[in-house]
Amino acid sequence: MLIHADADAFFASVEQRDFPHLRGRPMVVGPQVVACASYEARALGVHAGMPLRQALRRWPDLVVAEFRGDVYESVSADLMALFRDVTPLVEPGSMEEAFLDVSALDGGSVEEAGRIAADLRARARRDLGLPVSAGVARAKLFAKLASRRAKPDGLFVVDAETEARVRPRLPVSDLWGVGPASTTKLHDAGVRYVADLAGWTVDTLVDRRITKAMARNLIAIRDGVDDATIKLPGPRKSISSTRSLGRATRQRSVVENALRDNVIRAMDRLGDDPRAPTRIDVHLRYDDQHAIIQPGSLDQPTRDVTTLVGAALAALERTAYEEDGRGVAMVGVAFALPAPPA
């Protein structure tokens, strides 16, 4: 049995936890574009990706909180630690959600999995101050759909009878990995629901210009043998840090200091990992949301912070951001890491 646990409106929930005056109010996390909207703001029609100026024109009373990337990463680490305290079989999906395999706990029944999920949600609220919605099911697809159904701050359990009844009725547009283009192709072929896949094979779907991987997944979903396997994350391939500048600027000292801080934070996040970065990329996002990645240059792998800062600043200089005319809203750095020793 799997649990899909997902912290609700993660960035906004962290802000409402830390700043009581934001609780119960329509608020968003900025700065230039809505990164996350509280459920109170969503009820008005505010959504992630909306330009902040547009949102404030329509809803002048909307409260805007600063984007605090370091805080969210720290809370995410605490959330994942809580998940792993329940079971070591955790597959993160993003910084606020993960699948947990609880099949080996307390007999692995759907009832026990529901109890474990309820306890996990209570601990997240008590220990982290966060609302977490959870879905329980035999496979990932239904666990994910269940957690979506449970939002906000709820729990939904899908037993075998419910799964068998609902599976054929699922719109293909709701299935993982089926985007608008594939949905159109499937609809043109007369496939709107999972039940409509009866009689289709991988090859006949591929003939309709559906990729082989997606075709296999669709047939597995139709047959009820879709993915229920937790994939444990391997060693990280990179380490990064970003920082929003709050107010967009071209002031050299502000941008350079933020970049230095990012280099130091990124290296701190390596912790006990002995690997040394082999490549460096500097990330900038301007006030019009245009983002660029400027590769840096390292003569050899190194953990020396002074060398890494120098390489980052040299890459920043090559962006010519001071002459660009736009303001820099976000600056970040990413280091590529070599494969761990065998």
Side-chain angles (χ1 to χ4, degrees), residues 300-338:
Q300 60 184 6
T302 181
R303 293 177 64 96
D304 181 70
V305 172
T306 300
T307 301
L308 294 171
V309 167
L313 291 175
L316 175 66
E317 190 72 22
R318 290 195 293 275
T319 67
Y321 70 95
E322 290 180 288
E323 292 78 41
D324 184 271
R326 295 170 292 184
V328 176
M330 184 276 291
V331 60
V333 67
F335 298 129
L337 298 172

PDB file of all heavy atoms in Angstrom, residues 300-338:
ATOM      1  N   GLN A 300      39.685  22.595 -12.698  1.00  0.00           N
ATOM      2  CA  GLN A 300      39.649  21.240 -12.160  1.00  0.00           C
ATOM      3  C   GLN A 300      38.621  21.191 -11.036  1.00  0.00           C
ATOM      4  O   GLN A 300      38.227  22.242 -10.506  1.00  0.00           O
ATOM      5  CB  GLN A 300      41.025  20.842 -11.617  1.00  0.00           C
ATOM      6  CG  GLN A 300      41.526  21.750 -10.510  1.00  0.00           C
ATOM      7  CD  GLN A 300      42.925  21.386 -10.068  1.00  0.00           C
ATOM      8  OE1 GLN A 300      43.579  20.530 -10.657  1.00  0.00           O
ATOM      9  NE2 GLN A 300      43.403  22.015  -9.010  1.00  0.00           N
ATOM     10  N   PRO A 301      38.126  20.001 -10.694  1.00  0.00           N
ATOM     11  CA  PRO A 301      37.173  19.910  -9.585  1.00  0.00           C
ATOM     12  C   PRO A 301      37.758  20.518  -8.314  1.00  0.00           C
ATOM     13  O   PRO A 301      38.941  20.330  -8.007  1.00  0.00           O
ATOM     14  CB  PRO A 301      36.964  18.400  -9.427  1.00  0.00           C
ATOM     15  CG  PRO A 301      37.301  17.835 -10.765  1.00  0.00           C
ATOM     16  CD  PRO A 301      38.409  18.687 -11.298  1.00  0.00           C
ATOM     17  N   THR A 302      36.936  21.255  -7.587  1.00  0.00           N
ATOM     18  CA  THR A 302      37.428  21.896  -6.370  1.00  0.00           C
ATOM     19  C   THR A 302      36.295  22.145  -5.391  1.00  0.00           C
ATOM     20  O   THR A 302      35.140  22.329  -5.799  1.00  0.00           O
ATOM     21  CB  THR A 302      38.113  23.232  -6.696  1.00  0.00           C
ATOM     22  OG1 THR A 302      38.600  23.826  -5.478  1.00  0.00           O
ATOM     23  CG2 THR A 302      37.151  24.205  -7.356  1.00  0.00           C
ATOM     24  N   ARG A 303      36.647  22.148  -4.123  1.00  0.00           N
ATOM     25  CA  ARG A 303      35.718  22.533  -3.060  1.00  0.00           C
ATOM     26  C   ARG A 303      36.129  23.867  -2.450  1.00  0.00           C
ATOM     27  O   ARG A 303      35.520  24.325  -1.488  1.00  0.00           O
ATOM     28  CB  ARG A 303      35.685  21.463  -1.972  1.00  0.00           C
ATOM     29  CG  ARG A 303      35.079  20.141  -2.412  1.00  0.00           C
ATOM     30  CD  ARG A 303      35.146  19.116  -1.286  1.00  0.00           C
ATOM     31  NE  ARG A 303      34.349  19.523  -0.137  1.00  0.00           N
ATOM     32  CZ  ARG A 303      33.103  19.121   0.099  1.00  0.00           C
ATOM     33  NH1 ARG A 303      32.515  18.272  -0.742  1.00  0.00           N
ATOM     34  NH2 ARG A 303      32.444  19.506   1.167  1.00  0.00           N
ATOM     35  N   ASP A 304      37.142  24.476  -3.000  1.00  0.00           N
ATOM     36  CA  ASP A 304      37.641  25.741  -2.464  1.00  0.00           C
ATOM     37  C   ASP A 304      36.630  26.846  -2.757  1.00  0.00           C
ATOM     38  O   ASP A 304      36.368  27.180  -3.923  1.00  0.00           O
ATOM     39  CB  ASP A 304      38.992  26.091  -3.082  1.00  0.00           C
ATOM     40  CG  ASP A 304      39.541  27.390  -2.515  1.00  0.00           C
ATOM     41  OD1 ASP A 304      39.930  27.411  -1.335  1.00  0.00           O
ATOM     42  OD2 ASP A 304      39.552  28.398  -3.271  1.00  0.00           O
ATOM     43  N   VAL A 305      36.053  27.408  -1.711  1.00  0.00           N
ATOM     44  CA  VAL A 305      34.981  28.390  -1.882  1.00  0.00           C
ATOM     45  C   VAL A 305      35.485  29.640  -2.599  1.00  0.00           C
ATOM     46  O   VAL A 305      34.782  30.213  -3.443  1.00  0.00           O
ATOM     47  CB  VAL A 305      34.364  28.740  -0.514  1.00  0.00           C
ATOM     48  CG1 VAL A 305      33.391  29.908  -0.644  1.00  0.00           C
ATOM     49  CG2 VAL A 305      33.649  27.536   0.074  1.00  0.00           C
ATOM     50  N   THR A 306      36.705  30.074  -2.297  1.00  0.00           N
ATOM     51  CA  THR A 306      37.238  31.264  -2.951  1.00  0.00           C
ATOM     52  C   THR A 306      37.332  31.063  -4.463  1.00  0.00           C
ATOM     53  O   THR A 306      36.959  31.942  -5.250  1.00  0.00           O
ATOM     54  CB  THR A 306      38.630  31.603  -2.384  1.00  0.00           C
ATOM     55  OG1 THR A 306      38.518  31.845  -0.986  1.00  0.00           O
ATOM     56  CG2 THR A 306      39.189  32.847  -3.069  1.00  0.00           C
ATOM     57  N   THR A 307      37.792  29.895  -4.873  1.00  0.00           N
ATOM     58  CA  THR A 307      37.878  29.594  -6.300  1.00  0.00           C
ATOM     59  C   THR A 307      36.497  29.543  -6.935  1.00  0.00           C
ATOM     60  O   THR A 307      36.277  30.068  -8.043  1.00  0.00           O
ATOM     61  CB  THR A 307      38.600  28.249  -6.512  1.00  0.00           C
ATOM     62  OG1 THR A 307      39.906  28.325  -5.949  1.00  0.00           O
ATOM     63  CG2 THR A 307      38.694  27.905  -7.991  1.00  0.00           C
ATOM     64  N   LEU A 308      35.555  28.937  -6.237  1.00  0.00           N
ATOM     65  CA  LEU A 308      34.200  28.823  -6.770  1.00  0.00           C
ATOM     66  C   LEU A 308      33.522  30.186  -6.865  1.00  0.00           C
ATOM     67  O   LEU A 308      32.821  30.468  -7.849  1.00  0.00           O
ATOM     68  CB  LEU A 308      33.379  27.880  -5.898  1.00  0.00           C
ATOM     69  CG  LEU A 308      33.834  26.414  -5.909  1.00  0.00           C
ATOM     70  CD1 LEU A 308      33.092  25.626  -4.839  1.00  0.00           C
ATOM     71  CD2 LEU A 308      33.619  25.793  -7.279  1.00  0.00           C
ATOM     72  N   VAL A 309      33.724  31.031  -5.869  1.00  0.00           N
ATOM     73  CA  VAL A 309      33.155  32.382  -5.925  1.00  0.00           C
ATOM     74  C   VAL A 309      33.750  33.143  -7.106  1.00  0.00           C
ATOM     75  O   VAL A 309      33.036  33.826  -7.855  1.00  0.00           O
ATOM     76  CB  VAL A 309      33.408  33.137  -4.607  1.00  0.00           C
ATOM     77  CG1 VAL A 309      33.111  34.626  -4.778  1.00  0.00           C
ATOM     78  CG2 VAL A 309      32.550  32.563  -3.480  1.00  0.00           C
ATOM     79  N   GLY A 310      35.059  33.016  -7.302  1.00  0.00           N
ATOM     80  CA  GLY A 310      35.705  33.704  -8.425  1.00  0.00           C
ATOM     81  C   GLY A 310      35.146  33.256  -9.758  1.00  0.00           C
ATOM     82  O   GLY A 310      34.880  34.085 -10.651  1.00  0.00           O
ATOM     83  N   ALA A 311      34.947  31.956  -9.920  1.00  0.00           N
ATOM     84  CA  ALA A 311      34.389  31.434 -11.168  1.00  0.00           C
ATOM     85  C   ALA A 311      32.955  31.904 -11.367  1.00  0.00           C
ATOM     86  O   ALA A 311      32.532  32.232 -12.486  1.00  0.00           O
ATOM     87  CB  ALA A 311      34.458  29.913 -11.169  1.00  0.00           C
ATOM     88  N   ALA A 312      32.185  31.964 -10.274  1.00  0.00           N
ATOM     89  CA  ALA A 312      30.803  32.430 -10.366  1.00  0.00           C
ATOM     90  C   ALA A 312      30.731  33.899 -10.752  1.00  0.00           C
ATOM     91  O   ALA A 312      29.921  34.302 -11.595  1.00  0.00           O
ATOM     92  CB  ALA A 312      30.085  32.190  -9.041  1.00  0.00           C
ATOM     93  N   LEU A 313      31.577  34.711 -10.147  1.00  0.00           N
ATOM     94  CA  LEU A 313      31.574  36.141 -10.461  1.00  0.00           C
ATOM     95  C   LEU A 313      32.017  36.392 -11.901  1.00  0.00           C
ATOM     96  O   LEU A 313      31.493  37.296 -12.577  1.00  0.00           O
ATOM     97  CB  LEU A 313      32.485  36.890  -9.490  1.00  0.00           C
ATOM     98  CG  LEU A 313      31.997  36.960  -8.029  1.00  0.00           C
ATOM     99  CD1 LEU A 313      33.041  37.617  -7.148  1.00  0.00           C
ATOM    100  CD2 LEU A 313      30.671  37.720  -7.932  1.00  0.00           C
ATOM    101  N   ALA A 314      32.967  35.596 -12.381  1.00  0.00           N
ATOM    102  CA  ALA A 314      33.405  35.746 -13.769  1.00  0.00           C
ATOM    103  C   ALA A 314      32.266  35.403 -14.728  1.00  0.00           C
ATOM    104  O   ALA A 314      32.063  36.079 -15.744  1.00  0.00           O
ATOM    105  CB  ALA A 314      34.618  34.854 -14.033  1.00  0.00           C
ATOM    106  N   ALA A 315      31.509  34.356 -14.404  1.00  0.00           N
ATOM    107  CA  ALA A 315      30.362  33.997 -15.240  1.00  0.00           C
ATOM    108  C   ALA A 315      29.291  35.079 -15.183  1.00  0.00           C
ATOM    109  O   ALA A 315      28.676  35.429 -16.201  1.00  0.00           O
ATOM    110  CB  ALA A 315      29.788  32.659 -14.790  1.00  0.00           C
ATOM    111  N   LEU A 316      29.077  35.641 -13.993  1.00  0.00           N
ATOM    112  CA  LEU A 316      28.107  36.731 -13.844  1.00  0.00           C
ATOM    113  C   LEU A 316      28.497  37.917 -14.716  1.00  0.00           C
ATOM    114  O   LEU A 316      27.647  38.524 -15.388  1.00  0.00           O
ATOM    115  CB  LEU A 316      28.041  37.146 -12.373  1.00  0.00           C
ATOM    116  CG  LEU A 316      27.155  38.354 -12.054  1.00  0.00           C
ATOM    117  CD1 LEU A 316      25.690  38.034 -12.317  1.00  0.00           C
ATOM    118  CD2 LEU A 316      27.351  38.792 -10.599  1.00  0.00           C
ATOM    119  N   GLU A 317      29.764  38.236 -14.740  1.00  0.00           N
ATOM    120  CA  GLU A 317      30.242  39.370 -15.543  1.00  0.00           C
ATOM    121  C   GLU A 317      29.915  39.164 -17.017  1.00  0.00           C
ATOM    122  O   GLU A 317      29.558  40.118 -17.733  1.00  0.00           O
ATOM    123  CB  GLU A 317      31.755  39.524 -15.346  1.00  0.00           C
ATOM    124  CG  GLU A 317      32.337  40.805 -15.935  1.00  0.00           C
ATOM    125  CD  GLU A 317      31.946  42.046 -15.145  1.00  0.00           C
ATOM    126  OE1 GLU A 317      31.594  41.903 -13.954  1.00  0.00           O
ATOM    127  OE2 GLU A 317      31.989  43.145 -15.727  1.00  0.00           O
ATOM    128  N   ARG A 318      30.009  37.923 -17.482  1.00  0.00           N
ATOM    129  CA  ARG A 318      29.764  37.641 -18.896  1.00  0.00           C
ATOM    130  C   ARG A 318      28.290  37.786 -19.286  1.00  0.00           C
ATOM    131  O   ARG A 318      27.975  37.839 -20.477  1.00  0.00           O
ATOM    132  CB  ARG A 318      30.258  36.235 -19.247  1.00  0.00           C
ATOM    133  CG  ARG A 318      31.777  36.106 -19.236  1.00  0.00           C
ATOM    134  CD  ARG A 318      32.246  34.827 -19.935  1.00  0.00           C
ATOM    135  NE  ARG A 318      31.854  33.621 -19.223  1.00  0.00           N
ATOM    136  CZ  ARG A 318      32.537  33.081 -18.224  1.00  0.00           C
ATOM    137  NH1 ARG A 318      33.664  33.657 -17.800  1.00  0.00           N
ATOM    138  NH2 ARG A 318      32.122  31.967 -17.641  1.00  0.00           N
ATOM    139  N   THR A 319      27.401  37.842 -18.300  1.00  0.00           N
ATOM    140  CA  THR A 319      25.990  38.060 -18.629  1.00  0.00           C
ATOM    141  C   THR A 319      25.703  39.504 -19.030  1.00  0.00           C
ATOM    142  O   THR A 319      24.658  39.783 -19.621  1.00  0.00           O
ATOM    143  CB  THR A 319      25.082  37.714 -17.433  1.00  0.00           C
ATOM    144  OG1 THR A 319      25.304  38.653 -16.360  1.00  0.00           O
ATOM    145  CG2 THR A 319      25.339  36.289 -16.944  1.00  0.00           C
ATOM    146  N   ALA A 320      26.618  40.421 -18.688  1.00  0.00           N
ATOM    147  CA  ALA A 320      26.442  41.851 -18.990  1.00  0.00           C
ATOM    148  C   ALA A 320      25.110  42.367 -18.439  1.00  0.00           C
ATOM    149  O   ALA A 320      24.432  43.182 -19.066  1.00  0.00           O
ATOM    150  CB  ALA A 320      26.539  42.097 -20.501  1.00  0.00           C
ATOM    151  N   TYR A 321      24.751  41.894 -17.262  1.00  0.00           N
ATOM    152  CA  TYR A 321      23.460  42.260 -16.683  1.00  0.00           C
ATOM    153  C   TYR A 321      23.346  43.752 -16.388  1.00  0.00           C
ATOM    154  O   TYR A 321      22.246  44.319 -16.434  1.00  0.00           O
ATOM    155  CB  TYR A 321      23.217  41.453 -15.402  1.00  0.00           C
ATOM    156  CG  TYR A 321      24.121  41.842 -14.253  1.00  0.00           C
ATOM    157  CD1 TYR A 321      23.719  42.767 -13.290  1.00  0.00           C
ATOM    158  CD2 TYR A 321      25.399  41.300 -14.135  1.00  0.00           C
ATOM    159  CE1 TYR A 321      24.550  43.123 -12.247  1.00  0.00           C
ATOM    160  CE2 TYR A 321      26.233  41.648 -13.095  1.00  0.00           C
ATOM    161  CZ  TYR A 321      25.819  42.559 -12.157  1.00  0.00           C
ATOM    162  OH  TYR A 321      26.663  42.928 -11.128  1.00  0.00           O
ATOM    163  N   GLU A 322      24.480  44.402 -16.112  1.00  0.00           N
ATOM    164  CA  GLU A 322      24.421  45.829 -15.769  1.00  0.00           C
ATOM    165  C   GLU A 322      24.017  46.686 -16.963  1.00  0.00           C
ATOM    166  O   GLU A 322      23.432  47.755 -16.804  1.00  0.00           O
ATOM    167  CB  GLU A 322      25.775  46.289 -15.243  1.00  0.00           C
ATOM    168  CG  GLU A 322      26.115  45.731 -13.867  1.00  0.00           C
ATOM    169  CD  GLU A 322      27.470  46.216 -13.377  1.00  0.00           C
ATOM    170  OE1 GLU A 322      28.504  45.755 -13.924  1.00  0.00           O
ATOM    171  OE2 GLU A 322      27.479  47.066 -12.468  1.00  0.00           O
ATOM    172  N   GLU A 323      24.339  46.212 -18.165  1.00  0.00           N
ATOM    173  CA  GLU A 323      24.009  46.970 -19.366  1.00  0.00           C
ATOM    174  C   GLU A 323      22.720  46.485 -20.022  1.00  0.00           C
ATOM    175  O   GLU A 323      22.319  46.995 -21.065  1.00  0.00           O
ATOM    176  CB  GLU A 323      25.143  46.858 -20.396  1.00  0.00           C
ATOM    177  CG  GLU A 323      26.434  47.555 -19.999  1.00  0.00           C
ATOM    178  CD  GLU A 323      27.236  46.745 -18.993  1.00  0.00           C
ATOM    179  OE1 GLU A 323      27.322  45.511 -19.145  1.00  0.00           O
ATOM    180  OE2 GLU A 323      27.763  47.364 -18.036  1.00  0.00           O
ATOM    181  N   ASP A 324      22.077  45.499 -19.432  1.00  0.00           N
ATOM    182  CA  ASP A 324      20.942  44.853 -20.071  1.00  0.00           C
ATOM    183  C   ASP A 324      19.712  45.751 -20.126  1.00  0.00           C
ATOM    184  O   ASP A 324      18.920  45.679 -21.055  1.00  0.00           O
ATOM    185  CB  ASP A 324      20.603  43.556 -19.322  1.00  0.00           C
ATOM    186  CG  ASP A 324      19.490  42.781 -19.973  1.00  0.00           C
ATOM    187  OD1 ASP A 324      18.314  43.043 -19.631  1.00  0.00           O
ATOM    188  OD2 ASP A 324      19.770  41.926 -20.835  1.00  0.00           O
ATOM    189  N   GLY A 325      19.515  46.580 -19.112  1.00  0.00           N
ATOM    190  CA  GLY A 325      18.339  47.443 -19.058  1.00  0.00           C
ATOM    191  C   GLY A 325      17.239  46.887 -18.172  1.00  0.00           C
ATOM    192  O   GLY A 325      16.385  47.641 -17.692  1.00  0.00           O
ATOM    193  N   ARG A 326      17.249  45.582 -17.961  1.00  0.00           N
ATOM    194  CA  ARG A 326      16.274  44.977 -17.056  1.00  0.00           C
ATOM    195  C   ARG A 326      16.889  44.820 -15.674  1.00  0.00           C
ATOM    196  O   ARG A 326      18.105  44.819 -15.523  1.00  0.00           O
ATOM    197  CB  ARG A 326      15.845  43.603 -17.577  1.00  0.00           C
ATOM    198  CG  ARG A 326      15.090  43.648 -18.887  1.00  0.00           C
ATOM    199  CD  ARG A 326      14.895  42.258 -19.472  1.00  0.00           C
ATOM    200  NE  ARG A 326      16.161  41.663 -19.901  1.00  0.00           N
ATOM    201  CZ  ARG A 326      16.259  40.485 -20.507  1.00  0.00           C
ATOM    202  NH1 ARG A 326      15.161  39.783 -20.734  1.00  0.00           N
ATOM    203  NH2 ARG A 326      17.437  40.004 -20.866  1.00  0.00           N
ATOM    204  N   GLY A 327      16.030  44.679 -14.673  1.00  0.00           N
ATOM    205  CA  GLY A 327      16.529  44.450 -13.330  1.00  0.00           C
ATOM    206  C   GLY A 327      16.652  42.963 -13.041  1.00  0.00           C
ATOM    207  O   GLY A 327      15.881  42.146 -13.555  1.00  0.00           O
ATOM    208  N   VAL A 328      17.612  42.603 -12.212  1.00  0.00           N
ATOM    209  CA  VAL A 328      17.797  41.214 -11.805  1.00  0.00           C
ATOM    210  C   VAL A 328      16.898  40.950 -10.599  1.00  0.00           C
ATOM    211  O   VAL A 328      17.004  41.620  -9.572  1.00  0.00           O
ATOM    212  CB  VAL A 328      19.269  40.925 -11.452  1.00  0.00           C
ATOM    213  CG1 VAL A 328      19.423  39.502 -10.929  1.00  0.00           C
ATOM    214  CG2 VAL A 328      20.166  41.161 -12.662  1.00  0.00           C
ATOM    215  N   ALA A 329      16.001  39.956 -10.727  1.00  0.00           N
ATOM    216  CA  ALA A 329      15.069  39.634  -9.648  1.00  0.00           C
ATOM    217  C   ALA A 329      15.529  38.429  -8.832  1.00  0.00           C
ATOM    218  O   ALA A 329      15.181  38.294  -7.672  1.00  0.00           O
ATOM    219  CB  ALA A 329      13.678  39.361 -10.217  1.00  0.00           C
ATOM    220  N   MET A 330      16.309  37.547  -9.455  1.00  0.00           N
ATOM    221  CA  MET A 330      16.775  36.347  -8.775  1.00  0.00           C
ATOM    222  C   MET A 330      18.158  35.987  -9.290  1.00  0.00           C
ATOM    223  O   MET A 330      18.444  36.138 -10.474  1.00  0.00           O
ATOM    224  CB  MET A 330      15.807  35.181  -9.021  1.00  0.00           C
ATOM    225  CG  MET A 330      16.156  33.884  -8.277  1.00  0.00           C
ATOM    226  SD  MET A 330      17.395  32.864  -9.150  1.00  0.00           S
ATOM    227  CE  MET A 330      16.482  32.311 -10.569  1.00  0.00           C
ATOM    228  N   VAL A 331      19.011  35.529  -8.381  1.00  0.00           N
ATOM    229  CA  VAL A 331      20.335  35.068  -8.770  1.00  0.00           C
ATOM    230  C   VAL A 331      20.580  33.724  -8.093  1.00  0.00           C
ATOM    231  O   VAL A 331      20.143  33.485  -6.959  1.00  0.00           O
ATOM    232  CB  VAL A 331      21.428  36.091  -8.396  1.00  0.00           C
ATOM    233  CG1 VAL A 331      21.467  36.338  -6.895  1.00  0.00           C
ATOM    234  CG2 VAL A 331      22.799  35.663  -8.888  1.00  0.00           C
ATOM    235  N   GLY A 332      21.231  32.828  -8.814  1.00  0.00           N
ATOM    236  CA  GLY A 332      21.482  31.519  -8.256  1.00  0.00           C
ATOM    237  C   GLY A 332      22.729  30.896  -8.837  1.00  0.00           C
ATOM    238  O   GLY A 332      23.326  31.414  -9.794  1.00  0.00           O
ATOM    239  N   VAL A 333      23.115  29.780  -8.259  1.00  0.00           N
ATOM    240  CA  VAL A 333      24.281  29.050  -8.730  1.00  0.00           C
ATOM    241  C   VAL A 333      24.006  27.556  -8.632  1.00  0.00           C
ATOM    242  O   VAL A 333      23.269  27.114  -7.743  1.00  0.00           O
ATOM    243  CB  VAL A 333      25.544  29.428  -7.909  1.00  0.00           C
ATOM    244  CG1 VAL A 333      25.415  28.946  -6.464  1.00  0.00           C
ATOM    245  CG2 VAL A 333      26.807  28.884  -8.529  1.00  0.00           C
ATOM    246  N   ALA A 334      24.530  26.809  -9.578  1.00  0.00           N
ATOM    247  CA  ALA A 334      24.387  25.347  -9.558  1.00  0.00           C
ATOM    248  C   ALA A 334      25.745  24.724  -9.854  1.00  0.00           C
ATOM    249  O   ALA A 334      26.463  25.178 -10.756  1.00  0.00           O
ATOM    250  CB  ALA A 334      23.362  24.892 -10.581  1.00  0.00           C
ATOM    251  N   PHE A 335      26.110  23.694  -9.083  1.00  0.00           N
ATOM    252  CA  PHE A 335      27.357  22.972  -9.287  1.00  0.00           C
ATOM    253  C   PHE A 335      27.048  21.554  -9.726  1.00  0.00           C
ATOM    254  O   PHE A 335      26.243  20.863  -9.085  1.00  0.00           O
ATOM    255  CB  PHE A 335      28.175  22.908  -7.984  1.00  0.00           C
ATOM    256  CG  PHE A 335      28.590  24.251  -7.452  1.00  0.00           C
ATOM    257  CD1 PHE A 335      28.337  24.595  -6.132  1.00  0.00           C
ATOM    258  CD2 PHE A 335      29.247  25.159  -8.258  1.00  0.00           C
ATOM    259  CE1 PHE A 335      28.733  25.819  -5.625  1.00  0.00           C
ATOM    260  CE2 PHE A 335      29.638  26.389  -7.772  1.00  0.00           C
ATOM    261  CZ  PHE A 335      29.388  26.732  -6.457  1.00  0.00           C
ATOM    262  N   ALA A 336      27.666  21.108 -10.793  1.00  0.00           N
ATOM    263  CA  ALA A 336      27.571  19.703 -11.195  1.00  0.00           C
ATOM    264  C   ALA A 336      28.539  18.889 -10.354  1.00  0.00           C
ATOM    265  O   ALA A 336      29.658  19.345 -10.040  1.00  0.00           O
ATOM    266  CB  ALA A 336      27.912  19.547 -12.675  1.00  0.00           C
ATOM    267  N   LEU A 337      28.114  17.685  -9.974  1.00  0.00           N
ATOM    268  CA  LEU A 337      28.939  16.811  -9.133  1.00  0.00           C
ATOM    269  C   LEU A 337      29.283  15.540  -9.909  1.00  0.00           C
ATOM    270  O   LEU A 337      28.474  15.029 -10.680  1.00  0.00           O
ATOM    271  CB  LEU A 337      28.188  16.441  -7.856  1.00  0.00           C
ATOM    272  CG  LEU A 337      27.823  17.611  -6.932  1.00  0.00           C
ATOM    273  CD1 LEU A 337      26.913  17.107  -5.802  1.00  0.00           C
ATOM    274  CD2 LEU A 337      29.068  18.246  -6.354  1.00  0.00           C
ATOM    275  N   PRO A 338      30.467  14.998  -9.678  1.00  0.00           N
ATOM    276  CA  PRO A 338      30.840  13.754 -10.344  1.00  0.00           C
ATOM    277  C   PRO A 338      30.067  12.584  -9.755  1.00  0.00           C
ATOM    278  O   PRO A 338      29.487  12.685  -8.657  1.00  0.00           O
ATOM    279  CB  PRO A 338      32.337  13.631 -10.051  1.00  0.00           C
ATOM    280  CG  PRO A 338      32.510  14.336  -8.746  1.00  0.00           C
ATOM    281  CD  PRO A 338      31.530  15.484  -8.775  1.00  0.00           C
TER     282      PRO A 338
END
